[in-house]
Amino acid sequence: MSNSKMIGKAIATGICFGILASFNASPGPASAAEPTIGEVAAPAASNIDQQLLGQWQGTVPSGQSFTFVFAPEGKLFLMAKGPDGAARAKEMRYKVNLGQQPMHLDVGLSSTETVETIFELTPEGQMRLQLQGTNPGQARPNSLNEQATVFKKVSEATALPADTQVIGY
């Protein structure tokens, strides 16, 4: 199956719709001024906030693999290969509400679109995130289901690779 068809299938799986669709936008290279943020010090944060920082890799049911990079200051990047094979990242914002069970995660796709979803960190150090059935403007799911995407933390790094093309917020 071609890379563009796999991305198309991933697009149909909820939150990835707006994010992966934007990989066809005109990206710019990562710059030192913004979003390569590896050197930025994080403000005081909870233990969960600290556990989230870094790179988390997951695969949606269509088989498309991608990486979320949770960075300081509420920045979030979705990294995947574009149709041309180049590494691309969509810049977003995130906010966590730890007072709810399961924990709430709000993902700002743009200044006008937010996806409300839920997640949990497992005892095995993985993250279960409800992507299926989440879209901007829809109500937050009440519980994680069997279709929740499981992410494995693959790195503590919060900086994007230097050659990553970034699609802005």
Side-chain angles (χ1 to χ4, degrees):
M1 178 178 283
S2 75
N3 205 6
S4 61
K5 285 184 183 177
M6 289 188 344
I7 289 175
K9 285 192 176 196
I11 288 171
T13 61
I15 192 174
C16 295
F17 175 78
I19 301 166
L20 290 175
S22 67
F23 281 176
N24 292 325
S26 299
S31 69
E34 73 169 298
T36 304
I37 52 178
E39 300 302 317
V40 176
S46 75
N47 186 36
I48 298 293
D49 288 331
Q50 288 296 332
Q51 288 177 24
L52 277 178
L53 293 177
Q55 298 181 11
W56 296 82
Q57 189 169 47
T59 304
V60 292
S62 68
Q64 175 70 27
S65 178
F66 60 93
T67 302
F68 275 126
V69 180
F70 286 86
E73 301 177 357
K75 289 189 179 183
L76 174 63
F77 299 92
L78 172 73
M79 292 182 10
K81 299 280 185 191
D84 58 0
R88 294 194 177 152
K90 167 64 176 143
E91 181 180 354
M92 300 173 287
R93 301 288 185 266
Y94 77 95
K95 185 172 96 175
V96 175
N97 181 344
L98 305 174
Q100 301 294 318
Q101 287 301 320
M103 292 177 279
H104 289 187
L105 177 67
D106 294 346
V107 178
L109 304 178
S110 69
S111 61
T112 60
E113 289 186 308
T114 299
V115 173
E116 297 178 344
T117 190
I118 54 177
F119 76 102
E120 71 178 1
L121 297 176
T122 70
E124 297 81 24
Q126 297 179 328
M127 175 176 53
R128 290 185 63 222
L129 177 62
Q130 189 65 46
L131 297 176
Q132 186 72 24
T134 60
N135 285 299
Q138 289 185 339
R140 184 185 316 276
N142 293 321
S143 61
L144 294 158
N145 64 32
E146 65 281 348
Q147 295 174 329
T149 303
V150 177
F151 289 84
K152 180 180 178 186
K153 193 166 194 177
V154 295
S155 174
E156 297 291 329
T158 59
L160 300 174
D163 61 344
T164 303
Q165 297 174 333
V166 177
I167 300 165
Y169 177 64

